[in-house]
Amino acid sequence: MKFLRQEVDAAVDALLLQQVILYPTDTVWGLGCDAEAPPAVQELYKLKGRPEGQPGIVLVADLAMLKRYVAEVPAELEALLAADTRPTTYILPASRAVAPALVAPDGTVGLRVVKDEFCFKVVRRLGHGLVSTSANKAGEPTPAVYSEIDPAILRGADHVANWRQDDATRTAPSRVVRLGVGGQVEVVRE
């Protein structure tokens, strides 16, 4: 437990300095930064080589934190979150609290309530959202495990979490769901 706490503290310290971290998420290995720090988001996108208009997602600890980043919370969201059986990212209208580069051209932001212990503790201690995008150069395959991460990404991150680096468990990227006006649910990625 002490090692986990030390790793969480080190990741949060880097995030508070507006640095880019490389870390295991509840799905795949990701690059992240403070979701409320536009300069950090720009550095993350530069490292990833991600073009404008393709925003990452924001990991949050719970529904209360999610509400900070949403302009209007759909009535059905709480029930959908409770019914989730796998990591699911919800596309919702963005609030002004999120860094502008994380907002899609249609004014939405992707948000996911994390269940992974490490991510949850990082987000909770940080106190607000954590950007999450797969730890690969734009257009390259998504690394499911640490050993698949491109050395350029490893060198480019300001902090690399020393957590689950030996874990060979493969998981898929999150399910992505868009919640529309009137409660329509559109599955963007299964």
Side-chain angles (χ1 to χ4, degrees):
M1 206 49 149
K2 182 179 179 185
F3 182 67
L4 173 61
R5 186 173 52 248
Q6 290 171 337
E7 285 303 307
V8 168
D9 288 348
V12 172
D13 288 348
L15 293 166
L16 291 172
L17 292 171
Q18 296 191 10
Q19 294 180 336
V20 174
I21 67 169
L22 176 63
Y23 65 104
T25 73
D26 49 353
T27 57
V28 297
W29 273 80
L31 288 168
C33 64
D34 182 337
E36 296 183 27
V41 174
Q42 293 302 325
E43 283 304 308
L44 183 150
Y45 285 178
K46 183 177 169 187
L47 172 60
K48 189 170 173 74
R50 189 173 204 140
E52 297 263 338
Q54 290 184 348
I57 66 165
V58 179
L59 302 180
V60 295
D62 51 32
L63 181 60
M65 188 180 286
L66 181 142
K67 288 178 178 179
R68 175 172 171 75
Y69 302 106
V70 179
E72 184 179 334
V73 179
E76 63 277 2
L77 181 60
E78 192 168 352
L80 289 169
L81 289 170
D84 281 341
T85 57
R86 62 182 267 211
T88 302
T89 299
Y90 290 93
I91 299 173
L92 301 160
S95 75
R96 292 184 182 171
V98 69
L102 295 170
V103 179
D106 67 356
T108 59
V109 63
L111 296 151
R112 184 167 78 238
V113 176
V114 293
K115 302 205 176 14
D116 173 80
E117 181 181 24
F118 177 78
C119 288
F120 176 82
K121 289 178 183 273
V122 168
V123 172
R124 175 62 70 207
R125 180 149 179 273
L126 180 63
H128 44 86
L130 172 63
V131 174
S132 182
T133 183
S134 56
N136 58 296
K137 293 284 188 180
E140 296 295 318
T142 299
V145 294
Y146 180 80
S147 62
E148 295 175 350
I149 299 171
D150 182 325
I153 295 289
L154 288 167
R155 286 189 306 274
D158 297 303
H159 172 77
V160 178
N162 188 21
W163 189 252
R164 291 187 5 227
Q165 289 185 1
D166 296 329
D167 186 351
T169 306
R170 293 181 173 277
T171 57
S174 70
R175 179 175 181 241
V176 178
V177 174
R178 179 183 300 276
L179 293 182
V181 179
Q184 297 96 339
V185 176
E186 173 195 353
V187 177
V188 177
R189 179 177 71 200
E190 190 60 58

